[in-house]
Amino acid sequence: MFPNAELLNMSVDQQRYLLDWWNITESAKSIVRRLVSLVSELRLHPESSHADGMILFYRAVSEVSYGYAGTRGCIRRAFNDEYSESLRRNITMCHGFASKFSVDTKVLLERVAKQITGPNALELIHRIREVLKENDVMLHEMEIKAHAFYEKASH
């Protein structure tokens, strides 16, 4: 609980919209797991481990994962009678981390990809690009759910 946080009440509709947002973040967990796994494999692969920017790329993917996890954690707290303005801001920030670092991840992937020539590592790059496309779809869905929740909260 945030110190000195005044708790807010959620309507039944707000709770439903927040649950929808939660469900989409839960659906995204498998995508994030695959992304982190593939990037970890790429980072350790002898054909790509030398690539300039690999650590930044790996870090950006970690931040995407943290953004999703933070959003889920905040939503869970909102359902446990901790819903406050501070928690609302925290949900928004965590949600934003996933989106912003997804953009960074794509930029850094292309930087790393230019330095890789091995066929196995290039296959990993291709698979990461595909997972990032799936992630974009999830982020778009999360954005829709977040807007629905906040729109309901402002009424």
Side-chain angles (χ1 to χ4, degrees), residues 13 69 102 109:
D13 283 344
S102 289
L109 173 64

Side-chain angles (χ1 to χ4, degrees), residues 37-50:
S37 177
L38 288 168
V39 172
S40 295
E41 187 176 345
L42 182 69
R43 181 175 172 216
L44 298 173
H45 199 287
E47 294 176 354
S48 59
S49 60
H50 68 281

Side-chain angles (χ1 to χ4, degrees), residues 37 54 67 87 98 105 143:
S37 177
M54 181 62 76
L87 186 60
T105 297
E143 193 68 27

Side-chain angles (χ1 to χ4, degrees), residues 72-145:
R72 282 192 313 276
C74 288
I75 292 172
R76 184 174 46 248
R77 288 175 62 196
F79 280 115
N80 288 327
D81 297 327
E82 294 183 43
Y83 184 56
S84 66
E85 191 57 43
S86 297
L87 186 60
R88 276 175 56 108
R89 282 194 301 275
N90 206 18
I91 295 172
T92 302
M93 288 185 340
C94 289
H95 177 82
F97 291 158
S99 297
K100 289 173 186 162
F101 281 102
S102 289
V103 172
D104 290 353
T105 297
K106 288 185 269 187
V107 169
L108 289 164
L109 173 64
E110 296 312 316
R111 177 181 174 170
V112 167
K114 288 177 185 174
Q115 302 171 53
I116 296 172
T117 56
N120 295 324
L122 288 172
E123 175 59 26
L124 286 170
I125 295 285
H126 172 73
R127 291 172 57 199
I128 291 168
R129 284 183 182 125
E130 293 302 311
V131 173
L132 285 170
K133 288 176 187 174
E134 292 176 52
N135 184 58
D136 285 345
V137 170
M138 277 297 159
L139 288 171
H140 178 72
E141 291 297 318
M142 282 177 58
E143 193 68 27
I144 291 169
K145 302 301 182 188

Side-chain angles (χ1 to χ4, degrees), residues 2 9 14 45 56 85 96 134 147 150:
F2 292 96
N9 291 318
Q14 281 178 286
H45 199 287
L56 292 173
E85 191 57 43
E134 292 176 52
H147 282 298
Y150 285 122

